Amino acid sequence: MQPRIPFLTWRFLPLLAGLLIALLVGIHFGAVSLSFEQIWQGLWHPAEESYINTILWQIRLPRVILAACVGGGLAVAGAAFQGVFRNPLADPFVIGASSGAALGATLALLWIAGSITVITATWQIPWLILAAFAGALLVVCGVFLIASLSSIGRSAPLLTLILAGMALSSFTGALVSLIMFLNHEMLTTIFSWLLGSFSGRHWNEIVMAGPVILCSGALLWLLSRPLDLLSFGDETAQTLGLSIAKYRMLILVAATFCTAACVAVSGVIGFLGLMAPHMTRILSGPRHGLLIPGSCLLGATLMVIADTLARTVIAPAEIPVGVVTALMGCPFFLFLLLSRGQQSG
C-alpha cells in the first residue's frame, strides 16, 4: 500500500521548501542578477516585453526547471538501483548506466551530424534519449549479470558490483574516447557534453525529456512495494509471492530509461544519484514509498544548487555542472565506502 499524500506533505515539507528556495536563488543569480521583485513581476506579467522577461523566460526558468528535473530523475533512478541491487553504493554513475547512456548518445550525435536529412534541434532529443537508453540498459544488464553470476543465491558483494561497474564504465569510456579521436570535428561538442552542462538549454529539452523522466519516476514510485521486497533478498521476496524476474526487469528498465532521458539533455552528471537517496533515508527511512519522492525533491534541490554554483563561481565563465557534482560526490562516496568497510570489519 502506498503512503498517504498528507503524510508525504508534512514529512517532506522541509525538502519542498528547500527546493523552492533553491529555484528562486537559481533564477536570481547569473551574469545579470534579477531582484526578487523583478522575478515576481516577470512571473505575473509574462507577456510584457522587457529584457527582464527575456532573461527570465528564455534563459533562467528553463535552465533551473531542467536542472530540477534531471536532479530529481537521477536521484529516483539511484534509489531504484540501490534497491534492486541491494547495495547502497549503486547509482546511475557508479553502476555504469551514465557511461552507457553517454556512449549511446555519442553515437546518436555522430549519426545526426552525418545524416543526409536535416534533423532539427527539437527532434534530436528523442533520438538521443533512445540511443542513451539502449546504451545504458546494455551496461546495466551487463553489471547485473556479472554480479549475479558471482553471488548466486545471495546479495551481490560490494566489491563485485563496484568493479563490474568500473570495468564496463572504463570500456564504454574508451569507446567514447576512440570516437572523439576519430572524429576531430565533433571533439568539442562531444567533450563539452560529456562533462555535463545545462548551458544553452531551452524549453524544448523540458518538453521532450520531462515527460519521460516524470513517467519513469512515477512508475518506480508505484513499484515501491516490489522494491521493498527485493531489498530483503530474493528468497524472502519469492516467499512473499513476488515475481522476482518480472519486477526486477521492470524496475531496471524504468530506472535506465529515466537515466537515459537525463543524460540525453544534460550530459554525464555523476554521484547525485548516490548522495540524494542516502541523505533522504535519514528523514524517510528505508521504505521506497517515502524514499523515492523524498529523493526526487532532494536531488532536484542539489542539482539546482550545483548548477547555480557552476555558472556563478567564476562568472561570466561556467564550470561544467558534472565537475561540481563530482567535487561534491567523491568525498561522500569515499565516506560511505570507508564506513561500510569499518562495519564489515
Side-chain angles (χ1 to χ4, degrees), residues 24 73 108 142 218 238 278 296:
L24 281 175
Q238 193 168 13
H278 274 280
C296 181

Side-chain angles (χ1 to χ4, degrees), residues 220-237:
L220 289 172
W221 183 73
L222 292 174
L223 293 169
S224 296
R225 181 170 173 77
L227 269 169
D228 288 337
L229 295 179
L230 286 172
S231 299
F232 290 116
D234 291 357
E235 185 176 344
T236 303

Side-chain angles (χ1 to χ4, degrees), residues 51-125:
Y51 79 94
I52 293 175
N53 274 7
T54 301
I55 295 173
L56 179 64
W57 287 96
Q58 300 301 321
I59 301 175
R60 300 280 172 82
L61 268 178
R63 179 162 183 160
V64 297
I65 291 174
L66 184 62
C69 289
V70 170
L74 290 176
V76 168
F81 280 129
Q82 289 170 17
V84 79
F85 281 102
R86 303 195 300 276
N87 199 300
L89 293 184
D91 90 318
F93 187 75
V94 175
I95 215 67
S98 294
S99 60
L103 175 61
T106 300
L107 293 172
L109 285 172
L110 287 178
W111 175 75
I112 291 170
S115 178
I116 299 175
T117 305
V118 177
I119 302 175
T120 62
T122 301
W123 293 106
Q124 289 178 13
I125 302 170

Side-chain angles (χ1 to χ4, degrees), residues 194-197 268-270 306 310 319-330:
L194 287 175
L195 291 176
S197 176
V268 180
I269 299 175
I319 303 172
V321 71
V323 174
V324 177
T325 59
L327 291 174
M328 294 165 56
C330 281

Side-chain angles (χ1 to χ4, degrees), residues 108 161 172 199 227 229 231 233 242 248:
L161 189 68
T172 54
S199 179
L227 269 169
L229 295 179
S231 299
L242 185 71
R248 177 173 285 145

Side-chain angles (χ1 to χ4, degrees), residues 99-336:
S99 60
L103 175 61
T106 300
L107 293 172
L109 285 172
L110 287 178
W111 175 75
I112 291 170
S115 178
I116 299 175
T117 305
V118 177
I119 302 175
T120 62
T122 301
W123 293 106
Q124 289 178 13
I125 302 170
W127 290 108
L128 288 174
I129 292 176
L130 290 175
F133 170 70
L137 185 62
L138 187 63
V139 172
V140 170
C141 287
V143 171
F144 179 73
L145 180 62
I146 293 170
S148 298
L149 290 176
S150 66
S151 56
I152 298 175
R154 55 192 173 88
S155 176
L158 172 63
L159 184 60
T160 301
L161 189 68
I162 293 176
L163 291 179
M166 288 178 59
L168 293 182
S169 294
S170 298
F171 179 71
T172 54
L175 291 179
V176 171
S177 299
L178 178 63
I179 292 171
M180 289 193 293
F181 177 77
L182 297 175
N183 297 271
H184 296 286
E185 69 281 358
M186 294 288 293
L187 181 61
T188 303
T189 302
I190 297 174
F191 185 70
S192 61
W193 181 81
L194 287 175
L195 291 176
S197 176
F198 296 103
S199 179
R201 305 302 193 269
H202 300 291
W203 294 106
N204 289 337
E205 284 81 1
I206 298 174
V207 171
M208 292 292 180
V212 177
I213 297 172
L214 179 63
C215 291
S216 54
L219 177 59
L220 289 172
W221 183 73
L222 292 174
L223 293 169
S224 296
R225 181 170 173 77
L227 269 169
D228 288 337
L229 295 179
L230 286 172
S231 299
F232 290 116
D234 291 357
E235 185 176 344
T236 303
Q238 193 168 13
T239 302
L240 294 173
L242 185 71
S243 178
I244 296 174
K246 182 180 87 171
Y247 281 104
R248 177 173 285 145
M249 183 54 64
L250 189 58
I251 292 166
L252 281 176
V253 170
T256 303
F257 218 158
C258 190
T259 302
C262 294
V263 171
V265 295
S266 67
V268 180
I269 299 175
F271 294 107
L272 195 131
L274 175 71
M275 293 187 293
H278 274 280
M279 293 178 179
T280 306
R281 282 190 184 93
I282 300 173
L283 180 65
S284 69
R287 289 175 55 196
H288 288 85
L290 297 173
L291 179 63
I292 286 177
S295 298
C296 181
L297 291 174
L298 184 57
T301 303
L302 291 174
M303 185 65 82
V304 173
I305 292 173
D307 182 56
T308 303
L309 290 174
R311 56 189 168 85
T312 56
V313 170
I314 57 171
E318 283 193 22
I319 303 172
V321 71
V323 174
V324 177
T325 59
L327 291 174
M328 294 165 56
C330 281
F332 189 83
F333 179 79
L334 292 174
F335 169 76
L336 290 177

